[in-house]
Amino acid sequence: MPPVSEEMLGAALSGAILPVFVTGSWDDGMPVLWVNESFTRTTGIRADDLRRRGAHPLLSLVEDDPERTPSQIALRAGRPTARMIKGHRPDGVDTWWHVTMSPLPDGDGDVPYWLGAATDVSGFVEQHAAQLASLEVERRERADLDLIAQTTELLGDLEYPYALRDIADLLRSLVPWAGFYLNDDGLVFAEGVDVMSPPSGRGRRHARYVPESTVLDRELAAAHGDEGTREPHRADQVQDLLDGVVDGPVLLPLGVPYPAHSASGWLRRDLVRRVVEETGAVPSSVVVHAVAGRRRVLGLLVSWHGEGTTIEGPARDEEPRSAYTGHQHIDTVVEVVARRAGTAIDNARLYAREHRLAEALQRAMLPEQADVPGLDVWTYYAPNAEHAQVGGDWYDVVQISAGTVGLVVGDVVGHDVEAAAAMGQLRSVVRSYAFELATPGIVVDRVDQLVTGMRIPRSASMVYATLEQQPGGVWRVLYTRAGHLPPLLLRDAKVTQLADAGGSLIGFGSEPRTTAQAELRPGDVLLFYTDGLIERRDRSLKIGLDALIEASARITARDAAGVGEELLSRLADAPEDDVALVVVRVPDPVVDAQVQPLSPRSRRWLLPSEPASIGRARHAVLRTCQAWGLPESAAAELVVSELVANGVLHGWGNIALRLYDTGDGLRIEVEDSNPAPPVSTDGHPNRVGGFGMQIVERLADWGWRPAGSGKLVWAKLRPSPA
């Protein structure tokens, strides 16, 4: 094959499809000495035209050259270079070129000439840019999904007091500032959700809290350069958003005045103060999204996108961000967060409202039991917390006449408001017939007839008994069972099931109910209970009943409250259903005088908010101190009298009384529904009383703390001197 001649090389370069050119040296300004036809066709410029452009004429064809500086350094040193540049084609289309410059040295090592070649890589650049854009969109979508997932997780626990603050912090990865406002008796900046305080929806009450500030109006106008050219008051678009007149989001300018006492004006003043304190910039406008529930707008989610004026002053930890682009994407994410927050807040408040309603209904239907002369009676009820504190279990202890007591424990199927309503109807029916009829079987027969006519939709079981006092401290028990578990009789560590007189569920009795009989002697204990005490998913009801019998046989307590505490500690640590328990004990003066060293060192009672509960509390403390062998019974009676009396006088609802043996003194806890703290006074002018807490201070160390929707007052008795 013959060697390639210079003529052949020149012809090849002239006919190459790539633009090729030859320039002079760098020191001479790299004049263009020759270009091929492809160069002229691509750029529309001939070599003669480039020569007239002076030194470095090729630079006039370049619009963008990211690597100009390192390339020029290489050219000065005589080294080959390759770089990407952006230029214009004759038709005006922007084109990216991959340009190579190769030195053509002479025999002395100098570089008098350079050979250049350009490749059109616009297609590859566009494809690469599209890939980067696609990756950026995917990255942004993943970040958005991650943010929304974290927001959903935070909204799953609205009892956390800073849930909304943490969600706003997550949004600040998109915007310089974000925050929640809830419309609870007027707009209020919110870091968390008080589910126990339902929204009022009254957004026009801001004037009560923040007066109109003309000084702030002037400061905002000066900051945005519009002082002296004040616009007229604008419409209250924030109030329109709260009222559901507009769906939003709305853009709220902050450099203009708004009507006095308007929601927009109040929000503007509060926002400017907060954003300035946290970012050091005066915002010019914010985007306001509605946090909507099912029926009303619960609040607002406000986001600031960074536009505004930086405040001159001390250096801050973070400089405020510059103006954002792509607000539509940001607003979409914020809108999703606002919508989910509204749904979660509404659900949490709806659940809390139903919880309070159900609990109030349940407590209202439970009996307000008084002391029964001649008997030690202790009652307990605990609804399953998984079912909104409502259920169909109930008990009742009725003093029918002197020496006769009616006692019923029942269970309606279900754990909802309908079950509680059915329970209330049954309780009223049984109580009415208890005063009219003496024999339990006949009472339940009449209940069957009435329930059938009332068409109560839930089936129910029940045990009804009457206790009649006999001479010598003995009590006769008459009872009948309607599909319910048998009561237990505890005597001398022996347990007997009162399993006679059984029958079908209430309303399904096809035959007359029968009545059985038993006898209670001094020291005997009678247990009435519902299946929640023994029922578990992982065992049968019979195994649970056997466990109850075994636990009852090992009871060491000699007071009704102690018996109940032992059973609860052994059987009801994790109940899966409602639990109702009634313990009836016949006092035994000889045995009761003995100390119970193995008895549980805690007791609890639920007392109605009525004066009779003060006496019940005193009797409970006296029996407990006797059972535990504590010498502070007299002081404990005084303290518990004052604490329960305060709960009856100043509180409402039921009063919870708890006693604990701490080892170095008796601790008394009284809980009521009034959140106001107790106050020690010097008496009430012109009337008797007011010294209760002074008495408590003399006998005990005391304090209080919030508990639920009310308060808990505690007092620890000081040990008596030897």
Side-chain angles (χ1 to χ4, degrees), residues 467-584:
L467 284 71
E468 300 175 352
Q469 191 171 18
Q470 307 294 314
V474 176
W475 290 75
R476 186 178 66 160
V477 181
L478 302 175
Y479 67 94
T480 188
R481 298 188 302 117
H484 202 84
L485 293 166
L488 300 183
L489 174 60
L490 283 60
R491 176 181 298 162
D492 298 330
K494 181 181 178 182
V495 181
T496 302
Q497 299 186 51
L498 303 185
D500 297 330
S504 58
L505 295 172
I506 293 295
F508 295 91
S510 58
E511 298 180 357
R513 303 280 184 175
T514 59
T515 301
Q517 180 175 322
E519 185 180 74
L520 287 181
R521 303 171 186 171
D524 287 354
V525 175
L526 193 59
L527 299 181
F528 294 82
Y529 54 94
T530 56
D531 56 5
L533 182 66
I534 60 175
E535 188 176 31
R536 300 293 181 270
R537 294 186 181 95
D538 58 350
R539 70 185 185 192
S540 66
L541 198 61
K542 182 181 183 304
I543 295 177
L545 182 57
D546 292 340
L548 172 61
I549 294 173
E550 180 184 355
S552 301
R554 294 188 284 114
I555 286 176
T556 60
R558 300 189 185 96
D559 60 314
V563 172
E565 293 290 350
E566 284 198 44
L567 289 176
L568 293 177
S569 64
R570 295 174 182 175
L571 300 172
D573 53 342
E576 299 172 359
D577 199 353
D578 307 333
V579 176
L581 177 62
V582 178
V583 181
V584 180

Side-chain angles (χ1 to χ4, degrees), residues 151-228:
T151 298
T152 303
E153 183 177 354
L154 288 169
L155 290 172
D157 183 18
L158 286 180
E159 292 184 357
Y160 172 56
Y162 301 109
L164 297 184
R165 182 196 65 183
D166 289 354
I167 293 173
D169 289 343
L170 289 175
L171 289 174
R172 292 181 190 186
S173 64
L174 299 176
V175 294
W177 190 92
F180 282 89
Y181 288 82
L182 293 183
N183 190 19
D184 294 346
D185 197 16
L187 283 176
V188 179
F189 182 77
E191 293 185 326
V193 180
D194 181 8
V195 296
M196 302 302 293
S197 175
S200 65
R202 293 176 291 186
R204 296 187 180 275
R205 302 184 63 186
H206 309 289
R208 172 182 299 183
Y209 308 106
V210 180
E212 180 68 19
S213 174
T214 56
V215 175
L216 181 58
D217 287 341
R218 290 194 296 270
E219 290 178 352
L220 286 172
H224 294 288
D226 59 355
E227 189 171 15

Side-chain angles (χ1 to χ4, degrees), residues 78-94:
R79 298 192 304 270
T81 67
R83 68 188 196 235
M84 297 282 292
I85 64 172
K86 181 181 180 182
H88 289 294
R89 288 169 46 179
D91 55 5
V93 177
D94 292 337

Side-chain angles (χ1 to χ4, degrees), residues 30-60:
M30 300 191 75
V32 176
L33 304 178
W34 174 85
V35 299
N36 67 354
E37 294 181 3
S38 178
F39 183 96
T40 301
R41 186 172 56 253
T42 302
T43 63
I45 301 176
R46 298 179 178 275
D48 295 339
D49 298 331
L50 290 172
R51 293 190 192 102
R52 288 192 292 269
R53 297 193 180 191
H56 299 285
L58 292 174
L59 295 180
S60 63

Side-chain angles (χ1 to χ4, degrees), residues 426-437:
L426 283 175
R427 172 176 172 259
S428 299
V429 170
V430 174
R431 178 177 276 253
S432 298
Y433 286 136
F435 283 97
E436 179 182 348
L437 305 169

Side-chain angles (χ1 to χ4, degrees), residues 268-339:
R268 180 195 62 172
R269 288 189 293 271
D270 194 72
L271 276 172
V272 170
R273 176 179 62 83
R274 292 184 184 278
V275 176
V276 167
E277 289 178 354
E278 297 185 31
T279 69
V282 177
S284 59
S285 62
V286 293
V287 179
V288 185
H289 291 78
V291 178
R294 290 176 176 82
R295 299 181 179 179
R296 62 162 63 96
V297 175
L298 305 178
L300 307 171
L301 175 51
V302 183
S303 58
W304 173 53
H305 290 232
E307 301 87 345
T309 305
T310 302
I311 293 180
E312 299 294 336
R316 298 181 180 270
D317 295 335
E318 262 186 62
E319 291 295 328
R321 304 186 188 188
S322 59
Y324 266 64
T325 57
H327 290 178
Q328 182 176 3
H329 153 69
I330 296 173
D331 289 339
T332 300
V333 176
V334 176
E335 176 69 24
V336 172
V337 172
R339 188 165 58 248

